[in-house]
Amino acid sequence: MLGPDPRATLLWALLLDWLGQLLILALIVWIPQALDWSIGGTQLAGQYPWILFCVLVYPLLGWLFGSYTVLRWRRLPMLVLIQRLLITAGATLAAVAIARWLINPGEEVWLVYRRVQLVWLVSLSGWSLLVRLGLRRGMLLPEQPRLLLLAADAERDRVLQAWRRVPQRERLRPIQPEQLEAELSRVDEAMVLTLSPEIHRDPALRSVFQRLETADPRWIRVVSPERLFEAMQERLPPALLSDQGLSYDDLPWAVTFSIQAQLKRAADFLVAAVLLLLTSPLMLVAALLILWDDRGPIFYVQKRSGWLGRPFTVLKLRTMSVQSPGSPATWTQLGDQRITRVGGWLRRVRLDELPQLLNVLNGEMSLIGPRPERPELEQELEQHIPHYRKRHWMRPGLSGWAQVCAPYASSIEDSDLKLSYDLYYLRHFSTWLDLMILFRTIKTVLKAGGR
């Protein structure tokens, strides 16, 4: 990373939340003994399963309701932070109450008493608020370096335009060649200098580049625009990628008998089979609701582009009104009037995607990969977006890095943004990245955040 790793920030928040939970619990046990003021019990015997339950449920609900996600935002509104922490505390209190009602523990389990939970969660909300404010101010994290851009005029505009497509906490500041000497003389903070290919070939700056080669890499890092976006935004803007910037031989699964590729296919088959079995009742209910809503067909069958652009037939639960044969392919817009009442809810929880598990079993799709697009729309996208066909180097997926990082594509500009995440996934494919995408997809489903 070229700066503080955002996942390290989230991990610190999680660990400090756990520490706060245990410290507050210790105070709840100690206060009655020291002040003769009864809150709960004075012994932890018999409480350990409930302690484990509470310690796990609070961060899980915090992840679901976004009390950790706010740490990655460009700005951190205090009101939003407090709101999310209170929602997390309230949901945790409700989860403990439901578990207590279902299990009905004995009176000796004092940890589930309402007054104990209120004291614990109110104190924990205050602790979590201080933790997040401290982390935003750099507590326990390396200092954020200055991000500077030295590029020719045309290249600078392209880089800055791509940088501003994604809300970013760090500012990328363009500089002129005559300002570089002054920036290098500042030794009070670390610096990441992004050099464009054209400026790197400028003979007038040869002496400065020689000085950069001998600079301490712990304080001055020199990177390309491509590397900057990979490290800071986890994407590869196609407009900044050279023709030789990404070849098939560079991809992780291009190696003969790739273990990760074999594991991915095995996981696709097993998980798809289990999900198909478990979600069959949900699909049956959804099918009946679709039939009840407008008496139209239940399934939506359409041609999509798959591996190497080869067309295949995708199967989905129908969420839009029936279109007349031969209707031109159009983008789905926010609030699209074609979406039916039942279809809107199916799309929010992604239930309409479940029949595609059959495509996964057939090997036409994967659980994780670029979203399959209609061939009619792709013809236009290939004309406007460089490197677009490279996304066909992997089987399309039900979910993917672009789907969980970028908004729903409803224009060429949106597709360009999503392709930047698809290209990053192609280059950095790994089992760990697939797991990250899986967890983010689960969060979207639980929050009914689909479109």
Side-chain angles (χ1 to χ4, degrees):
M1 290 297 295
L2 302 180
D5 187 347
R7 295 191 186 90
T9 306
L10 300 182
L11 180 59
W12 272 115
L14 173 63
L15 294 176
L16 291 172
D17 279 351
W18 278 339
L19 176 62
Q21 285 180 285
L22 298 178
L23 288 177
I24 294 169
L25 178 60
L27 289 175
I28 291 175
V29 173
W30 173 79
I31 284 176
Q33 302 179 31
L35 304 179
D36 194 25
W37 177 34
S38 178
I39 299 178
T42 59
Q43 301 294 327
L44 292 178
Q47 316 298 317
Y48 295 112
W50 289 95
I51 292 175
L52 180 62
F53 177 77
C54 294
V55 165
L56 294 178
V57 164
Y58 181 81
L60 179 62
L61 292 173
W63 165 74
L64 180 61
F65 291 111
S67 71
Y68 295 98
T69 310
V70 293
L71 290 170
R72 305 187 66 171
W73 286 7
R74 186 175 185 178
R75 296 175 182 173
L76 183 60
M78 180 65 71
L79 186 60
V80 174
L81 176 58
I82 294 174
Q83 179 190 55
R84 295 198 173 194
L85 289 173
L86 291 179
I87 291 174
T88 300
T92 304
L93 185 64
V96 173
I98 293 172
R100 180 185 181 185
W101 176 73
L102 291 173
I103 299 175
N104 193 23
E107 292 295 324
E108 69 278 2
V109 183
W110 52 266
L111 186 64
V112 296
Y113 292 174
R114 189 173 303 168
R115 64 176 181 274
V116 175
Q117 286 292 315
L118 285 173
V119 170
W120 196 2
L121 290 171
V122 169
S123 303
L124 183 56
S125 296
W127 170 276
S128 297
L129 177 64
L130 294 176
V131 164
R132 281 147 183 78
L133 293 177
L135 290 173
R136 284 287 289 198
R137 286 165 173 76
M139 179 184 70
L140 302 176
L141 299 172
E143 183 180 358
Q144 175 64 48
R146 291 173 290 149
L147 301 181
L148 305 178
L149 171 65
L150 182 58
D153 292 343
E155 292 177 312
R156 180 178 64 245
D157 293 341
R158 285 201 305 270
V159 172
L160 291 178
Q161 183 180 15
W163 183 263
R164 292 164 185 157
R165 286 297 308 275
V166 176
Q168 189 77 17
R169 187 181 175 192
E170 297 80 13
R171 176 173 175 262
L172 179 61
R173 182 163 63 91
I175 61 172
Q176 298 297 326
E178 56 269 18
Q179 297 176 282
L180 184 55
E181 284 285 358
E183 294 291 343
L184 292 176
S185 63
R186 292 178 56 183
V187 295
D188 56 331
E189 56 181 321
M191 176 180 75
V192 174
L193 177 62
T194 303
L195 295 179
S196 69
E198 185 175 332
I199 205 75
H200 211 291
R201 294 189 292 267
D202 189 346
L205 297 174
R206 187 171 301 165
S207 61
V208 178
F209 295 152
Q210 290 175 349
R211 179 181 171 185
L212 289 173
E213 291 175 355
T214 60
D216 188 341
R218 295 172 298 178
W219 290 94
I220 300 177
R221 300 281 298 278
V222 180
V223 298
S224 65
E226 182 182 317
R227 172 59 183 150
L228 175 74
F229 279 89
E230 281 188 295
M232 301 300 293
Q233 295 190 355
E234 296 183 315
R235 66 189 189 97
L236 276 171
L240 304 180
L241 194 62
S242 65
D243 292 338
Q244 295 78 33
L246 183 64
S247 66
Y248 186 81
D249 292 335
D250 296 332
L251 306 184
W253 66 86
V255 181
T256 306
F257 304 116
S258 168
I259 298 298
Q260 289 198 99
Q262 301 302 320
L263 285 175
K264 182 179 179 66
R265 179 55 192 151
D268 282 344
F269 187 86
L270 293 175
V271 174
V274 172
L275 282 178
L276 200 59
L277 182 64
L278 294 178
T279 59
S280 294
L282 291 177
M283 283 194 284
L284 178 59
V285 172
L288 293 175
L289 289 174
I290 293 171
L291 192 61
W292 167 81
D293 190 24
D294 62 3
R295 304 295 179 181
I298 294 172
F299 293 104
Y300 177 63
V301 180
Q302 193 178 69
K303 289 291 183 182
R304 295 291 177 99
S305 297
W307 163 252
L308 298 182
R310 298 167 184 167
F312 72 100
T313 301
V314 71
L315 186 66
K316 301 175 67 174
L317 291 173
R318 185 176 59 85
T319 59
M320 290 187 173
S321 57
V322 179
Q323 303 297 303
S324 59
S327 298
T330 57
W331 299 99
T332 302
Q333 303 292 336
L334 184 64
D336 200 309
Q337 297 300 312
R338 295 173 298 170
I339 299 176
T340 63
R341 291 174 299 173
V342 172
W345 286 103
L346 294 180
R347 293 169 76 96
R348 288 179 68 87
V349 294
R350 301 281 180 91
L351 279 180
D352 61 315
E353 309 279 356
L354 289 177
Q356 293 179 71
L357 292 170
L358 294 173
N359 296 109
V360 176
L361 291 177
N362 290 336
E364 298 164 326
M365 293 182 63
S366 174
L367 292 174
I368 306 296
R371 182 180 182 273
E373 194 52 84
R374 296 182 64 175
E376 302 94 322
L377 293 176
E378 286 197 323
Q379 292 175 6
E380 181 182 8
L381 294 174
E382 290 172 10
Q383 294 175 4
H384 292 86
I385 306 176
H387 307 286
Y388 187 84
R389 289 197 65 85
K390 290 181 179 178
R391 70 194 301 272
H392 296 314
W393 288 350
M394 172 175 272
R395 288 186 181 90
L398 273 77
S399 185
W401 189 234
Q403 287 93 305
V404 299
C405 292
Y408 194 90
S410 56
S411 65
I412 294 176
E413 291 74 18
D414 292 342
S415 296
D416 180 90
L417 177 63
K418 300 201 80 163
L419 179 62
S420 68
Y421 288 104
D422 285 334
L423 294 176
Y424 179 90
Y425 179 75
L426 290 178
R427 177 177 284 182
H428 297 277
F429 159 74
S430 66
T431 302
W432 168 246
L433 185 55
D434 275 6
L435 289 174
M436 283 181 51
I437 296 169
L438 177 62
F439 286 128
R440 289 196 184 188
T441 304
I442 292 172
K443 182 178 180 179
T444 299
V445 171
L446 292 177
K447 294 181 67 176
R451 260 190 61 185

